[in-house]
CSV table of all heavy atoms in Angstrom, one decimal:
chain,number,residue,atom,x,y,z
A,1,MET,N,-16.6,7.5,-87.0
A,1,MET,CA,-15.7,6.4,-86.8
A,1,MET,C,-16.0,5.2,-87.8
A,1,MET,O,-17.1,5.1,-88.3
A,1,MET,CB,-16.0,5.7,-85.4
A,1,MET,CG,-15.6,6.6,-84.2
A,1,MET,SD,-15.8,5.7,-82.6
A,1,MET,CE,-14.3,5.0,-82.4
A,2,THR,N,-14.9,4.6,-88.1
A,2,THR,CA,-15.0,3.4,-89.0
A,2,THR,C,-15.4,2.2,-88.3
A,2,THR,O,-15.4,2.2,-87.0
A,2,THR,CB,-13.7,3.1,-89.7
A,2,THR,OG1,-12.8,2.6,-88.8
A,2,THR,CG2,-13.1,4.4,-90.5
A,3,LEU,N,-15.9,1.2,-89.0
A,3,LEU,CA,-16.3,0.0,-88.3
A,3,LEU,C,-15.1,-0.7,-87.6
A,3,LEU,O,-15.3,-1.3,-86.5
A,3,LEU,CB,-16.9,-1.0,-89.3
A,3,LEU,CG,-18.3,-0.6,-89.8
A,3,LEU,CD1,-18.8,-1.6,-90.8
A,3,LEU,CD2,-19.3,-0.5,-88.7
A,4,ASP,N,-13.9,-0.6,-88.1
A,4,ASP,CA,-12.7,-1.1,-87.5
A,4,ASP,C,-12.4,-0.4,-86.2
A,4,ASP,O,-12.1,-1.1,-85.2
A,4,ASP,CB,-11.5,-1.0,-88.4
A,4,ASP,CG,-11.6,-2.0,-89.6
A,4,ASP,OD1,-12.3,-3.0,-89.5
A,4,ASP,OD2,-10.9,-1.7,-90.6
A,5,GLU,N,-12.6,0.9,-86.2
A,5,GLU,CA,-12.4,1.6,-84.9
A,5,GLU,C,-13.4,1.3,-83.9
A,5,GLU,O,-13.1,1.1,-82.7
A,5,GLU,CB,-12.4,3.1,-85.2
A,5,GLU,CG,-11.3,3.6,-86.1
A,5,GLU,CD,-11.4,5.1,-86.5
A,5,GLU,OE1,-12.6,5.5,-86.8
A,5,GLU,OE2,-10.4,5.8,-86.7
A,6,ILE,N,-14.7,1.2,-84.3
A,6,ILE,CA,-15.7,0.8,-83.4
A,6,ILE,C,-15.5,-0.7,-82.8
A,6,ILE,O,-15.6,-0.8,-81.6
A,6,ILE,CB,-17.1,0.8,-84.1
A,6,ILE,CG1,-17.4,2.2,-84.5
A,6,ILE,CG2,-18.2,0.2,-83.2
A,6,ILE,CD1,-18.6,2.3,-85.5
A,7,ALA,N,-15.1,-1.6,-83.7
A,7,ALA,CA,-14.8,-2.9,-83.2
A,7,ALA,C,-13.6,-2.9,-82.2
A,7,ALA,O,-13.7,-3.7,-81.2
A,7,ALA,CB,-14.4,-3.8,-84.4
A,8,PHE,N,-12.6,-2.2,-82.5
A,8,PHE,CA,-11.5,-2.0,-81.6
A,8,PHE,C,-11.9,-1.5,-80.2
A,8,PHE,O,-11.5,-2.1,-79.1
A,8,PHE,CB,-10.4,-1.1,-82.2
A,8,PHE,CG,-9.2,-1.0,-81.3
A,8,PHE,CD1,-8.3,-2.0,-81.1
A,8,PHE,CD2,-9.0,0.3,-80.6
A,8,PHE,CE1,-7.2,-1.9,-80.3
A,8,PHE,CE2,-7.9,0.4,-79.8
A,8,PHE,CZ,-7.0,-0.7,-79.7
A,9,GLU,N,-12.7,-0.5,-80.1
A,9,GLU,CA,-13.2,0.0,-78.9
A,9,GLU,C,-14.1,-1.0,-78.1
A,9,GLU,O,-14.0,-1.1,-76.9
A,9,GLU,CB,-14.0,1.3,-79.2
A,9,GLU,CG,-13.2,2.5,-79.6
A,9,GLU,CD,-12.2,3.0,-78.6
A,9,GLU,OE1,-12.4,2.8,-77.4
A,9,GLU,OE2,-11.1,3.6,-79.0
A,10,LEU,N,-14.9,-1.7,-78.9
A,10,LEU,CA,-15.8,-2.7,-78.2
A,10,LEU,C,-14.9,-3.8,-77.7
A,10,LEU,O,-15.2,-4.3,-76.6
A,10,LEU,CB,-16.8,-3.2,-79.2
A,10,LEU,CG,-17.8,-2.3,-79.7
A,10,LEU,CD1,-18.7,-2.9,-80.9
A,10,LEU,CD2,-18.7,-1.8,-78.6
A,11,GLU,N,-13.9,-4.2,-78.4
A,11,GLU,CA,-13.0,-5.2,-77.9
A,11,GLU,C,-12.3,-4.8,-76.6
A,11,GLU,O,-12.2,-5.6,-75.7
A,11,GLU,CB,-12.0,-5.6,-79.0
A,11,GLU,CG,-11.1,-6.8,-78.6
A,11,GLU,CD,-10.2,-7.3,-79.7
A,11,GLU,OE1,-10.5,-6.9,-80.9
A,11,GLU,OE2,-9.3,-7.9,-79.4
A,12,LEU,N,-11.8,-3.6,-76.6
A,12,LEU,CA,-11.1,-3.0,-75.4
A,12,LEU,C,-12.1,-3.0,-74.2
A,12,LEU,O,-11.7,-3.1,-73.1
A,12,LEU,CB,-10.6,-1.6,-75.7
A,12,LEU,CG,-9.3,-1.5,-76.5
A,12,LEU,CD1,-8.9,0.0,-76.8
A,12,LEU,CD2,-8.2,-2.3,-76.0
A,13,ALA,N,-13.4,-2.7,-74.5
A,13,ALA,CA,-14.4,-2.6,-73.4
A,13,ALA,C,-14.7,-4.0,-72.8
A,13,ALA,O,-15.3,-4.1,-71.8
A,13,ALA,CB,-15.6,-2.0,-73.9
A,14,GLY,N,-14.3,-5.1,-73.5
A,14,GLY,CA,-14.5,-6.4,-72.9
A,14,GLY,C,-15.7,-7.1,-73.4
A,14,GLY,O,-16.1,-8.1,-72.9
A,15,LEU,N,-16.3,-6.6,-74.5
A,15,LEU,CA,-17.5,-7.3,-75.0
A,15,LEU,C,-17.1,-8.6,-75.7
A,15,LEU,O,-16.0,-8.8,-76.2
A,15,LEU,CB,-18.2,-6.4,-76.1
A,15,LEU,CG,-19.2,-5.4,-75.5
A,15,LEU,CD1,-18.5,-4.2,-74.9
A,15,LEU,CD2,-20.1,-4.9,-76.6
A,16,SER,N,-18.0,-9.6,-75.6
A,16,SER,CA,-17.8,-10.9,-76.2
A,16,SER,C,-17.9,-10.7,-77.8
A,16,SER,O,-18.4,-9.6,-78.2
A,16,SER,CB,-18.9,-11.9,-75.8
A,16,SER,OG,-20.1,-11.6,-76.3
A,17,ARG,N,-17.4,-11.6,-78.5
A,17,ARG,CA,-17.4,-11.5,-80.0
A,17,ARG,C,-18.8,-11.4,-80.5
A,17,ARG,O,-19.1,-10.7,-81.4
A,17,ARG,CB,-16.7,-12.7,-80.6
A,17,ARG,CG,-16.5,-12.5,-82.1
A,17,ARG,CD,-15.6,-11.4,-82.4
A,17,ARG,NE,-15.6,-11.2,-83.9
A,17,ARG,CZ,-15.6,-10.0,-84.4
A,17,ARG,NH1,-15.5,-8.9,-83.8
A,17,ARG,NH2,-15.6,-9.9,-85.7
A,18,GLU,N,-19.8,-12.2,-79.9
A,18,GLU,CA,-21.1,-12.1,-80.2
A,18,GLU,C,-21.7,-10.7,-80.0
A,18,GLU,O,-22.5,-10.2,-80.9
A,18,GLU,CB,-21.9,-13.2,-79.5
A,18,GLU,CG,-23.4,-13.2,-79.8
A,18,GLU,CD,-24.1,-14.3,-79.0
A,18,GLU,OE1,-23.6,-15.4,-78.9
A,18,GLU,OE2,-25.2,-14.0,-78.4
A,19,GLN,N,-21.4,-10.1,-78.9
A,19,GLN,CA,-21.9,-8.8,-78.6
A,19,GLN,C,-21.4,-7.8,-79.6
A,19,GLN,O,-22.1,-6.9,-80.0
A,19,GLN,CB,-21.7,-8.4,-77.2
A,19,GLN,CG,-22.3,-9.2,-76.1
A,19,GLN,CD,-21.8,-8.9,-74.7
A,19,GLN,OE1,-20.6,-8.9,-74.5
A,19,GLN,NE2,-22.7,-8.9,-73.8
A,20,GLN,N,-20.1,-7.9,-79.9
A,20,GLN,CA,-19.4,-7.0,-80.9
A,20,GLN,C,-20.1,-7.1,-82.2
A,20,GLN,O,-20.5,-6.0,-82.9
A,20,GLN,CB,-18.0,-7.4,-81.0
A,20,GLN,CG,-17.1,-7.1,-79.8
A,20,GLN,CD,-15.7,-7.5,-80.0
A,20,GLN,OE1,-15.2,-7.5,-81.0
A,20,GLN,NE2,-15.1,-8.1,-78.9
A,21,VAL,N,-20.4,-8.3,-82.7
A,21,VAL,CA,-21.0,-8.5,-84.0
A,21,VAL,C,-22.4,-7.9,-84.0
A,21,VAL,O,-22.8,-7.3,-85.0
A,21,VAL,CB,-21.0,-10.0,-84.3
A,21,VAL,CG1,-22.0,-10.3,-85.5
A,21,VAL,CG2,-19.6,-10.6,-84.6
A,22,LYS,N,-23.1,-8.1,-82.9
A,22,LYS,CA,-24.5,-7.5,-82.8
A,22,LYS,C,-24.4,-6.0,-83.0
A,22,LYS,O,-25.2,-5.4,-83.7
A,22,LYS,CB,-25.2,-7.9,-81.5
A,22,LYS,CG,-26.6,-7.5,-81.4
A,22,LYS,CD,-27.1,-7.9,-80.1
A,22,LYS,CE,-27.3,-9.5,-80.0
A,22,LYS,NZ,-27.9,-9.9,-78.8
A,23,LEU,N,-23.5,-5.3,-82.2
A,23,LEU,CA,-23.4,-3.9,-82.3
A,23,LEU,C,-22.9,-3.4,-83.6
A,23,LEU,O,-23.3,-2.3,-84.2
A,23,LEU,CB,-22.6,-3.3,-81.1
A,23,LEU,CG,-23.3,-3.4,-79.8
A,23,LEU,CD1,-22.4,-2.9,-78.7
A,23,LEU,CD2,-24.6,-2.7,-79.7
A,24,LEU,N,-21.9,-4.1,-84.2
A,24,LEU,CA,-21.4,-3.7,-85.5
A,24,LEU,C,-22.4,-3.9,-86.6
A,24,LEU,O,-22.5,-3.0,-87.5
A,24,LEU,CB,-20.2,-4.6,-85.8
A,24,LEU,CG,-18.9,-4.2,-85.0
A,24,LEU,CD1,-17.8,-5.3,-85.3
A,24,LEU,CD2,-18.4,-2.9,-85.3
A,25,SER,N,-23.3,-4.9,-86.5
A,25,SER,CA,-24.4,-5.0,-87.5
A,25,SER,C,-25.3,-3.9,-87.3
A,25,SER,O,-25.8,-3.3,-88.3
A,25,SER,CB,-25.1,-6.3,-87.2
A,25,SER,OG,-24.3,-7.5,-87.5
A,26,PHE,N,-25.6,-3.5,-86.1
A,26,PHE,CA,-26.5,-2.3,-85.9
A,26,PHE,C,-25.9,-1.1,-86.6
A,26,PHE,O,-26.6,-0.3,-87.2
A,26,PHE,CB,-26.7,-2.1,-84.4
A,26,PHE,CG,-27.4,-0.8,-84.1
A,26,PHE,CD1,-28.8,-0.8,-84.1
A,26,PHE,CD2,-26.8,0.4,-83.8
A,26,PHE,CE1,-29.5,0.3,-83.8
A,26,PHE,CE2,-27.5,1.5,-83.5
A,26,PHE,CZ,-28.9,1.5,-83.5
A,27,CYS,N,-24.6,-0.9,-86.5
A,27,CYS,CA,-23.9,0.3,-87.1
A,27,CYS,C,-23.9,0.2,-88.6
A,27,CYS,O,-24.1,1.3,-89.2
A,27,CYS,CB,-22.4,0.4,-86.6
A,27,CYS,SG,-22.3,0.9,-84.9
A,28,LYS,N,-23.8,-1.0,-89.1
A,28,LYS,CA,-23.9,-1.1,-90.6
A,28,LYS,C,-25.3,-0.7,-91.1
A,28,LYS,O,-25.3,0.0,-92.2
A,28,LYS,CB,-23.6,-2.6,-91.0
A,28,LYS,CG,-22.1,-2.9,-90.9
A,28,LYS,CD,-21.9,-4.4,-91.2
A,28,LYS,CE,-20.5,-4.8,-91.0
A,28,LYS,NZ,-20.3,-6.2,-91.2
A,29,VAL,N,-26.3,-1.0,-90.4
A,29,VAL,CA,-27.6,-0.7,-90.9
A,29,VAL,C,-28.1,0.7,-90.5
A,29,VAL,O,-28.6,1.4,-91.4
A,29,VAL,CB,-28.7,-1.7,-90.2
A,29,VAL,CG1,-30.1,-1.3,-90.5
A,29,VAL,CG2,-28.4,-3.1,-90.6
A,30,HIS,N,-27.7,1.2,-89.3
A,30,HIS,CA,-28.3,2.5,-88.9
A,30,HIS,C,-27.2,3.6,-88.9
A,30,HIS,O,-27.5,4.8,-88.6
A,30,HIS,CB,-28.8,2.3,-87.5
A,30,HIS,CG,-30.0,1.4,-87.4
A,30,HIS,ND1,-31.2,1.7,-87.9
A,30,HIS,CD2,-30.0,0.1,-86.9
A,30,HIS,CE1,-32.0,0.6,-87.7
A,30,HIS,NE2,-31.3,-0.3,-87.1
A,31,GLY,N,-26.0,3.3,-89.1
A,31,GLY,CA,-24.9,4.3,-89.0
A,31,GLY,C,-24.4,4.4,-87.6
A,31,GLY,O,-25.0,3.9,-86.6
A,32,PHE,N,-23.3,5.1,-87.4
A,32,PHE,CA,-22.7,5.3,-86.1
A,32,PHE,C,-23.4,6.5,-85.4
A,32,PHE,O,-23.4,7.6,-85.9
A,32,PHE,CB,-21.2,5.6,-86.2
A,32,PHE,CG,-20.5,5.9,-85.0
A,32,PHE,CD1,-20.3,5.0,-84.0
A,32,PHE,CD2,-20.2,7.3,-84.7
A,32,PHE,CE1,-19.7,5.3,-82.8
A,32,PHE,CE2,-19.5,7.6,-83.5
A,32,PHE,CZ,-19.3,6.6,-82.6
A,33,ASP,N,-23.9,6.2,-84.2
A,33,ASP,CA,-24.4,7.2,-83.3
A,33,ASP,C,-23.9,6.9,-81.9
A,33,ASP,O,-24.3,5.9,-81.3
A,33,ASP,CB,-25.9,7.2,-83.4
A,33,ASP,CG,-26.6,8.3,-82.6
A,33,ASP,OD1,-25.9,8.8,-81.6
A,33,ASP,OD2,-27.7,8.7,-82.9
A,34,ALA,N,-23.0,7.8,-81.5
A,34,ALA,CA,-22.3,7.5,-80.2
A,34,ALA,C,-23.3,7.3,-79.1
A,34,ALA,O,-23.1,6.5,-78.2
A,34,ALA,CB,-21.3,8.7,-79.9
A,35,LYS,N,-24.3,8.2,-79.0
A,35,LYS,CA,-25.2,8.2,-77.8
A,35,LYS,C,-26.1,6.9,-77.9
A,35,LYS,O,-26.3,6.3,-76.8
A,35,LYS,CB,-26.1,9.4,-77.8
A,35,LYS,CG,-25.3,10.6,-77.4
A,35,LYS,CD,-26.2,11.8,-77.3
A,35,LYS,CE,-25.3,13.1,-77.0
A,35,LYS,NZ,-26.0,14.3,-76.8
A,36,VAL,N,-26.5,6.5,-79.0
A,36,VAL,CA,-27.3,5.3,-79.1
A,36,VAL,C,-26.5,4.0,-78.8
A,36,VAL,O,-26.9,3.2,-78.0
A,36,VAL,CB,-27.9,5.1,-80.5
A,36,VAL,CG1,-28.6,3.8,-80.8
A,36,VAL,CG2,-28.9,6.2,-80.8
A,37,LEU,N,-25.2,4.0,-79.3
A,37,LEU,CA,-24.4,2.9,-78.9
A,37,LEU,C,-24.1,2.8,-77.5
A,37,LEU,O,-24.1,1.7,-76.8
A,37,LEU,CB,-23.0,2.9,-79.7
A,37,LEU,CG,-23.1,2.4,-81.2
A,37,LEU,CD1,-21.7,2.6,-81.8
A,37,LEU,CD2,-23.6,1.0,-81.3
A,38,ASP,N,-23.8,4.0,-76.8
A,38,ASP,CA,-23.6,4.0,-75.4
A,38,ASP,C,-24.8,3.5,-74.6
A,38,ASP,O,-24.6,2.8,-73.6
A,38,ASP,CB,-23.2,5.4,-74.9
A,38,ASP,CG,-21.7,5.7,-75.2
A,38,ASP,OD1,-20.9,4.7,-75.5
A,38,ASP,OD2,-21.3,6.8,-75.1
A,39,LYS,N,-26.0,3.9,-75.1
A,39,LYS,CA,-27.2,3.4,-74.4
A,39,LYS,C,-27.3,1.9,-74.5
A,39,LYS,O,-27.6,1.2,-73.5
A,39,LYS,CB,-28.4,4.1,-75.0
A,39,LYS,CG,-29.7,3.8,-74.3
A,39,LYS,CD,-30.8,4.7,-74.6
A,39,LYS,CE,-32.0,4.5,-73.8
A,39,LYS,NZ,-32.0,5.2,-72.6
A,40,LYS,N,-27.0,1.3,-75.7
A,40,LYS,CA,-27.0,-0.1,-75.8
A,40,LYS,C,-26.0,-0.8,-74.9
A,40,LYS,O,-26.2,-1.8,-74.3
A,40,LYS,CB,-26.8,-0.5,-77.3
A,40,LYS,CG,-28.0,-0.2,-78.2
A,40,LYS,CD,-27.7,-0.7,-79.6
A,40,LYS,CE,-28.9,-0.5,-80.4
A,40,LYS,NZ,-30.0,-1.4,-80.0
A,41,LEU,N,-24.8,-0.2,-74.8
A,41,LEU,CA,-23.7,-0.7,-74.0
A,41,LEU,C,-24.2,-0.7,-72.5
A,41,LEU,O,-24.0,-1.7,-71.8
A,41,LEU,CB,-22.5,0.1,-74.1
A,41,LEU,CG,-21.6,-0.1,-75.3
A,41,LEU,CD1,-20.5,0.9,-75.4
A,41,LEU,CD2,-21.1,-1.6,-75.3
A,42,GLN,N,-24.8,0.4,-72.1
A,42,GLN,CA,-25.3,0.4,-70.7
A,42,GLN,C,-26.4,-0.6,-70.4
A,42,GLN,O,-26.4,-1.2,-69.4
A,42,GLN,CB,-25.9,1.8,-70.4
A,42,GLN,CG,-24.8,2.9,-70.3
A,42,GLN,CD,-25.3,4.3,-70.0
A,42,GLN,OE1,-26.3,4.7,-70.6
A,42,GLN,NE2,-24.7,5.0,-69.1
A,43,LEU,N,-27.2,-0.9,-71.4
A,43,LEU,CA,-28.2,-1.9,-71.2
A,43,LEU,C,-27.6,-3.3,-71.1
A,43,LEU,O,-28.2,-4.2,-70.5
A,43,LEU,CB,-29.2,-1.9,-72.4
A,43,LEU,CG,-30.2,-0.7,-72.4
A,43,LEU,CD1,-31.0,-0.7,-73.7
A,43,LEU,CD2,-31.1,-0.7,-71.2
A,44,MET,N,-26.4,-3.5,-71.7
A,44,MET,CA,-25.7,-4.7,-71.7
A,44,MET,C,-24.8,-4.8,-70.4
A,44,MET,O,-24.2,-5.8,-70.2
A,44,MET,CB,-24.8,-4.9,-72.9
A,44,MET,CG,-25.6,-5.0,-74.2
A,44,MET,SD,-24.5,-4.8,-75.6
A,44,MET,CE,-24.4,-6.4,-76.2
A,45,GLY,N,-24.8,-3.7,-69.6
A,45,GLY,CA,-24.0,-3.7,-68.4
A,45,GLY,C,-22.6,-3.2,-68.5
A,45,GLY,O,-21.8,-3.4,-67.6
A,46,TYR,N,-22.3,-2.4,-69.6
A,46,TYR,CA,-21.0,-1.8,-69.8
A,46,TYR,C,-21.1,-0.3,-69.6
A,46,TYR,O,-22.1,0.3,-69.7
A,46,TYR,CB,-20.5,-2.2,-71.1
A,46,TYR,CG,-20.2,-3.7,-71.3
A,46,TYR,CD1,-21.1,-4.5,-71.9
A,46,TYR,CD2,-19.0,-4.2,-71.0
A,46,TYR,CE1,-20.9,-5.8,-72.1
A,46,TYR,CE2,-18.7,-5.6,-71.1
A,46,TYR,CZ,-19.7,-6.4,-71.7
A,46,TYR,OH,-19.5,-7.7,-71.8
A,47,GLU,N,-19.9,0.2,-69.3
A,47,GLU,CA,-19.8,1.7,-69.3
A,47,GLU,C,-19.9,2.3,-70.6
A,47,GLU,O,-19.4,1.7,-71.6
A,47,GLU,CB,-18.5,2.1,-68.6
A,47,GLU,CG,-18.4,1.7,-67.2
A,47,GLU,CD,-19.4,2.4,-66.3
A,47,GLU,OE1,-19.5,3.6,-66.5
A,47,GLU,OE2,-20.0,1.8,-65.4
A,48,PRO,N,-20.4,3.5,-70.8
A,48,PRO,CA,-20.4,4.2,-72.1
A,48,PRO,C,-18.9,4.5,-72.5
A,48,PRO,O,-18.2,4.9,-71.7
A,48,PRO,CB,-21.2,5.5,-71.8
A,48,PRO,CG,-21.2,5.6,-70.4
A,48,PRO,CD,-21.0,4.3,-69.7
A,49,ILE,N,-18.7,4.3,-73.8
A,49,ILE,CA,-17.3,4.5,-74.2
A,49,ILE,C,-17.2,5.4,-75.5
A,49,ILE,O,-16.2,5.9,-75.8
A,49,ILE,CB,-16.6,3.2,-74.6
A,49,ILE,CG1,-17.4,2.4,-75.6
A,49,ILE,CG2,-16.3,2.4,-73.4
A,49,ILE,CD1,-16.7,1.2,-76.2
A,50,PHE,N,-18.3,5.7,-76.1
A,50,PHE,CA,-18.3,6.5,-77.3
A,50,PHE,C,-18.7,8.0,-77.1
A,50,PHE,O,-18.2,8.8,-77.8
A,50,PHE,CB,-19.3,5.9,-78.4
A,50,PHE,CG,-18.8,4.6,-78.9
A,50,PHE,CD1,-19.5,3.4,-78.5
A,50,PHE,CD2,-17.7,4.5,-79.7
A,50,PHE,CE1,-19.0,2.2,-78.9
A,50,PHE,CE2,-17.2,3.2,-80.1
A,50,PHE,CZ,-17.9,2.1,-79.7
A,51,SER,N,-19.5,8.3,-76.2
A,51,SER,CA,-19.9,9.7,-76.0
A,51,SER,C,-19.4,10.3,-74.7
A,51,SER,O,-20.0,11.3,-74.3
A,51,SER,CB,-21.4,9.8,-76.2
A,51,SER,OG,-22.1,9.1,-75.1
A,52,ILE,N,-18.4,9.7,-74.2
A,52,ILE,CA,-18.0,10.2,-72.9
A,52,ILE,C,-17.3,11.7,-72.9
A,52,ILE,O,-17.3,12.3,-71.9
A,52,ILE,CB,-16.9,9.3,-72.2
A,52,ILE,CG1,-15.7,9.1,-73.1
A,52,ILE,CG2,-17.6,7.9,-71.8
A,52,ILE,CD1,-14.6,8.3,-72.5
A,53,TYR,N,-17.0,12.1,-74.1
A,53,TYR,CA,-16.4,13.4,-74.3
A,53,TYR,C,-17.4,14.4,-74.8
A,53,TYR,O,-17.1,15.6,-75.0
A,53,TYR,CB,-15.2,13.4,-75.2
A,53,TYR,CG,-14.1,12.4,-74.6
A,53,TYR,CD1,-13.8,11.3,-75.2
A,53,TYR,CD2,-13.4,12.8,-73.5
A,53,TYR,CE1,-12.9,10.4,-74.8
A,53,TYR,CE2,-12.5,11.9,-73.0
A,53,TYR,CZ,-12.2,10.7,-73.6
A,53,TYR,OH,-11.2,9.9,-73.1
A,54,ASP,N,-18.6,14.0,-75.1
A,54,ASP,CA,-19.7,14.9,-75.6
A,54,ASP,C,-20.1,15.8,-74.6
A,54,ASP,O,-20.3,15.4,-73.4
A,54,ASP,CB,-20.9,14.1,-76.2
A,54,ASP,CG,-20.6,13.4,-77.5
A,54,ASP,OD1,-19.5,13.7,-78.1
A,54,ASP,OD2,-21.4,12.6,-78.0
A,55,ASP,N,-20.4,17.1,-75.0
A,55,ASP,CA,-21.0,18.0,-74.1
A,55,ASP,C,-22.5,17.9,-74.1
A,55,ASP,O,-23.0,17.9,-75.2
A,55,ASP,CB,-20.5,19.5,-74.4
A,55,ASP,CG,-19.1,19.7,-74.2
A,55,ASP,OD1,-18.5,19.1,-73.3
A,55,ASP,OD2,-18.5,20.5,-74.9
A,56,GLU,N,-23.1,17.9,-73.0
A,56,GLU,CA,-24.6,17.8,-73.0
A,56,GLU,C,-25.2,19.1,-72.9
A,56,GLU,O,-24.8,20.0,-72.3
A,56,GLU,CB,-25.0,16.9,-71.8
A,56,GLU,CG,-24.5,15.5,-71.9
A,56,GLU,CD,-25.5,14.5,-72.5
A,56,GLU,OE1,-26.6,14.8,-72.4
A,56,GLU,OE2,-25.0,13.5,-72.9
């Protein structure tokens, strides 16, 4: 996913701009990892949105 796509999904999920910037900065440094981002979202009190279609 591109950073624009990630930002769009985070905005749809209802994250504040500050939270979006924090997660986008993480993606810039570490790259996109759906499971890691979903874990961070869960710790922030949100539902997972990136790996919901992954098979475990």
Side-chain angles (χ1 to χ4, degrees):
M1 291 183 92
T2 66
L3 288 177
D4 289 335
E5 292 170 329
I6 295 167
F8 180 72
E9 291 293 333
L10 294 174
E11 188 174 338
L12 285 179
L15 276 75
S16 70
R17 187 66 187 142
E18 181 180 313
Q19 292 169 319
Q20 292 175 35
V21 168
K22 188 180 291 187
L23 289 178
L24 288 171
S25 294
F26 176 83
C27 288
K28 287 178 186 176
V29 173
H30 300 286
F32 174 74
D33 184 335
K35 291 183 181 183
V36 172
L37 281 180
D38 279 347
K39 185 163 185 88
K40 288 185 173 294
L41 284 170
Q42 287 178 318
L43 291 172
M44 297 167 106
Y46 294 94
E47 293 294 318
I49 57 174
F50 293 107
S51 62
I52 57 174
Y53 301 110
D54 287 350
D55 292 330
E56 299 262 340

